[in-house]
């Protein structure tokens, strides 16, 4: 590695805020593009003539499966990247390379298994997730094609963490940008010009994912300034896999619990409100991806900086990174809440012009997003635990907010005082207040004092 590159990617020198922003700005742009990647299918499908609401609801039913695939990418990608950074900070390049190689091998293996299992159990899963006889054909058509590209998702999403972890934030942004731009171009071509409908949306997505995966592998294998991905690193080592899995379990649990919440919400909404409310939740989940993007981009940019300085034992810089990240997260989430409260129609109409969905969706949106500013504390605390290798705490607070709070409330509130669908949308803000406060306060009382030495 050249002296210039080593200096550029040494997070133990220079301004903490500068280091974070140098990574966070391109990573936030990447998050924005990634959101387009994920929601552009829904935007186009929501405007298919004569079938928009059923098709949109059908795509919404596939989200838990897509979330589960993302969870495994997070398990080995987000689990390996902080350990990789800590090894770099401790000047252990061989160990860093082995961590990256083992993460890649596990991503490939899990990608193959997921595509097979999800394909085999597609029908019972989709009906469990809230499908009706009207919406199932749309969901199945999309999923049949999407699952072919599972391996491409695992490689592009999981291994891109190792590009960002080495300080190449712009290259990491380009990984997502290339695929998203291609998806944006191919979607209307396949959906409307070739009249393939939801099948066209899925085909556009897997082609885009393939190109992104090729880009990531080319960079990691052939870029000589960084620690390259080589064949000798791919041999599985049980101790490393345990370490990677333990640290990645936080992101894995968060994604799995998000998928579980989507399943419970869709099934409960189908029971109390029917297809229209499952469609509303699809739109709300899509909007949430958009408005939480700046915060996730910032915390993704902060984690390598925290991990590197923690490995280098520069604890004062870790504290500065936590402080800067927390303040920015709070400001960004307050801005998002204000925009959602003032302009709900604008956000919903990105996905659908259906009058009934719009009229029922606005009050549901106001309820669901009320506590979003408290979610910033969850993001700040969670990212700190993950960056410093505190896997147990990170996993616990992932479980607390979703499994211990949201899922029981989603099942119980509709029965209380006849709240019905209103109770389902109330579960999220309640969990943000309780879970966000608990996560951040625990971090302040446990991690923060230990960084004074």
């Amino acid at each position: 590695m050249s002296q210039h590159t080593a200096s550029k990617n040494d997070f133990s020198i220079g301004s903490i805020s500068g280091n974070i922003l140098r990574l966070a700005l391109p990573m936030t742009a990447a998050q924005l593009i990634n959101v387009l990647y994920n929601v552009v299918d829904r935007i186009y499908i929501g405007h298919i003539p004569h079938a928009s609401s059923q098709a949109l609801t059908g795509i919404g039913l596939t989200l838990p499966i897509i979330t589960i695939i993302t969870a495994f990418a997070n398990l080995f990608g987000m689990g390996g990247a902080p350990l990789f950074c800590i090894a770099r900070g401790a000047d252990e390049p061989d160990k860093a390379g082995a961590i990256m190689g083992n993460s890649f091998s596990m991503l490939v293996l899990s990608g193959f298994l997921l595509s097979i299992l999800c394909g085999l159990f597609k029908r019972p899963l989709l009906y469990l997730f809230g499908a009706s006889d009207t919406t199932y054909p749309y969901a199945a058509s999309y999923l049949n094609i999407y699952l072919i590209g599972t391996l491409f998702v695992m490689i592009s999403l999981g291994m891109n963490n190792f590009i960002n972890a080495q300080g190449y934030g712009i290259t990491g942004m380009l990984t997502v940008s290339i695929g998203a731009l291609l998806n944006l171009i191919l979607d209307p071509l396949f959906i409307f010009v070739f009249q393939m409908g939801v099948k066209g949306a899925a085909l556009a997505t897997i082609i885009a994912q393939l190109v992104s995966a090729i880009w990531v592998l080319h960079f990691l294998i052939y870029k000589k300034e960084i620690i390259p991905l080589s064949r000798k690193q791919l041999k599985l080592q049980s101790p490393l896999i345990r370490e990677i899995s333990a640290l990645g379990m936080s992101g894995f649990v968060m994604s799995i619990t998000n998928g579980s919440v989507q399943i419970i919400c869709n099934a409960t909404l189908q029971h109390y409100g029917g297809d229209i409310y499952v469609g509303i939740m699809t739109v709300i989940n899509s909007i949430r991806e958009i408005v939480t993007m700046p915060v996730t981009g910032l915390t993704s940019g902060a984690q390598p900086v925290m991990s590197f300085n923690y490995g280098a034992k520069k604890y004062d810089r870790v504290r500065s990174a936590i402080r800067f990240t927390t303040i920015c997260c709070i400001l960004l989430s307050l801005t998002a809440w204000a925009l959602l409260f003032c302009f709900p129609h604008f956000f919903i109409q990105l996905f659908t012009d259906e009058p009934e969905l719009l009229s029922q969706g606005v009050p549901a949106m106001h309820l669901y997003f009320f506590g979003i500013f408290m979610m910033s504390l969850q993001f700040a605390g969670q990212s700190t635990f993950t960056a410093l290798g505190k896997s147990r705490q990170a996993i616990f607070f992932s479980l607390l907010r979703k499994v211990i709070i949201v899922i029981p409330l989603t099942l119980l509130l509709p029965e209380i005082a006849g709240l019905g669908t209103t109770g389902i949308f109330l579960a999220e803000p309640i969990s943000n207040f309780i879970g966000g406060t608990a996560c951040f306060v625990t971090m302040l009382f446990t991690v923060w004092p230990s960084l004074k030495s």
Side-chain angles (χ1 to χ4, degrees):
M1 184 184 294
S2 69
Q3 185 176 359
H4 169 71
T5 303
S7 174
K8 175 186 172 184
N9 297 336
D10 186 346
F11 303 129
S12 66
I13 58 176
S15 159
I16 281 290
S17 59
N19 277 326
I20 291 175
L21 290 175
R22 181 166 57 82
L23 284 179
L25 290 176
M27 289 172 79
T28 300
Q31 290 283 350
L32 173 60
I33 297 162
N34 194 42
V35 165
L36 289 175
Y37 206 145
N38 293 332
V39 306
V40 71
D41 288 350
R42 288 165 246 168
I43 291 173
Y44 283 123
I45 287 167
H47 293 90
I48 293 176
H50 312 302
S52 60
S53 62
Q54 297 95 328
L56 184 62
T57 302
I59 295 298
L61 294 167
T62 69
L63 292 181
I65 292 177
I66 294 171
T67 302
I68 290 167
I69 292 170
T70 303
F72 279 90
N74 289 341
L75 176 62
F76 302 116
M78 293 176 66
L83 291 174
F84 178 90
C85 278
I86 292 170
R88 280 188 66 227
D91 195 23
E92 297 175 334
D94 290 339
K95 183 179 180 181
I99 290 167
M100 179 167 59
N102 275 245
S103 296
F104 177 79
S105 295
M106 293 307 297
L107 285 165
V108 171
L109 288 172
S110 58
F112 276 121
L113 286 174
L114 283 169
S115 60
I116 294 168
L117 291 174
C118 291
L120 288 174
F121 298 103
K122 171 189 62 191
R123 186 180 180 86
L125 284 174
L126 289 173
Y127 273 100
L128 177 68
F129 297 169
S132 66
D133 291 340
T134 304
T135 57
Y136 173 79
Y138 294 101
S141 294
Y142 186 86
L143 207 55
N144 284 339
I145 296 173
Y146 182 89
L147 289 175
I148 297 170
T150 301
L151 183 61
F152 310 145
V153 178
M154 302 298 285
I155 293 172
S156 61
L157 184 60
M159 293 307 292
N160 201 40
N161 288 289
F162 291 92
I163 294 177
N164 292 323
Q166 297 178 78
Y168 291 93
I170 292 176
T171 304
M173 178 188 72
L174 288 173
T175 300
V176 185
S177 304
I178 292 166
L181 181 61
L182 192 56
N183 195 36
L184 197 64
I185 294 168
L186 293 179
D187 256 334
L189 183 67
F190 290 159
I191 294 170
F192 299 113
V193 177
F194 297 156
Q195 298 184 341
M196 294 177 68
V198 294
K199 292 181 180 178
L203 183 59
T205 299
I206 68 166
I207 291 172
Q209 289 163 348
L210 170 61
V211 173
S212 293
I214 292 170
W215 166 270
V216 168
L217 289 179
H218 181 269
F219 185 87
L220 288 176
I221 292 171
Y222 296 109
K223 187 72 173 177
K224 299 304 182 186
E225 290 183 284
I226 60 174
I227 298 172
L229 179 65
S230 63
R231 186 178 298 178
K232 67 178 181 180
Q233 298 165 347
L234 304 182
K235 184 178 180 181
L236 294 176
Q237 299 177 35
S238 296
L240 283 184
I241 294 170
R242 284 195 293 270
E243 279 189 77
I244 292 165
S245 300
L247 190 53
M249 193 59 67
S250 168
F252 177 79
V253 169
M254 187 172 285
S255 293
I256 287 290
T257 52
N258 280 339
S260 302
V261 169
Q262 288 170 354
I263 293 165
I264 299 296
C265 282
N266 283 345
T268 313
L269 286 168
Q270 181 64 249
H271 176 73
Y272 287 97
D275 286 345
I276 187 69
Y277 278 93
V278 178
I280 289 170
M281 185 55 79
T282 300
V283 171
I284 284 177
N285 280 327
S286 303
I287 293 169
R288 185 183 63 184
E289 288 182 48
I290 295 171
V291 299
T292 58
M293 168 271 304
V295 175
T296 55
L298 178 74
T299 53
S300 296
Q303 280 186 20
V305 178
M306 291 184 198
S307 298
F308 190 101
N309 283 286
Y310 189 68
K313 302 188 186 302
K314 299 203 172 185
Y315 301 131
D316 58 326
R317 293 177 65 82
V318 179
R319 285 166 64 94
S320 296
I322 295 170
R323 190 183 299 113
F324 177 78
T325 303
T326 302
I327 292 170
C328 289
C329 282
I330 291 170
L331 292 175
L332 288 168
S333 58
L334 283 171
T335 302
W337 183 43
L339 290 171
L340 290 166
F341 186 81
C342 295
F343 308 106
H345 289 82
F346 168 79
F347 286 98
I348 294 175
Q349 285 176 321
L350 287 174
F351 299 92
T352 181
D353 293 319
E354 292 279 336
E356 186 181 2
L357 200 149
L358 193 63
S359 64
Q360 301 295 331
V362 169
M365 219 174 107
H366 281 152
L367 280 174
Y368 185 91
F369 287 114
F370 177 74
I372 194 170
F373 56 92
M374 290 297 293
M375 192 187 290
S376 61
L377 298 182
Q378 177 88 20
F379 274 111
Q382 195 86 23
S383 64
T384 300
F385 286 132
T386 302
L388 305 191
K390 312 288 185 182
S391 57
R392 290 182 181 178
Q393 294 93 322
I395 292 166
F396 172 77
F397 287 108
S398 292
L399 290 170
L400 174 68
R401 195 171 76 84
K402 293 292 186 180
V403 175
I404 300 173
I405 302 174
V406 174
I407 291 177
L409 288 178
T410 300
L411 296 171
L412 293 173
L413 287 179
E415 295 290 341
I416 297 174
L419 286 174
T421 56
T422 300
I424 298 168
F425 293 114
L426 272 173
E428 184 73 11
I430 293 171
S431 77
N432 286 336
F433 276 93
I434 298 173
T437 301
C439 180
F440 191 75
V441 169
T442 302
M443 185 275 292
L444 284 181
F445 279 96
T446 57
V447 172
W448 188 261
S450 70
L451 297 172
K452 289 181 180 179
S453 58

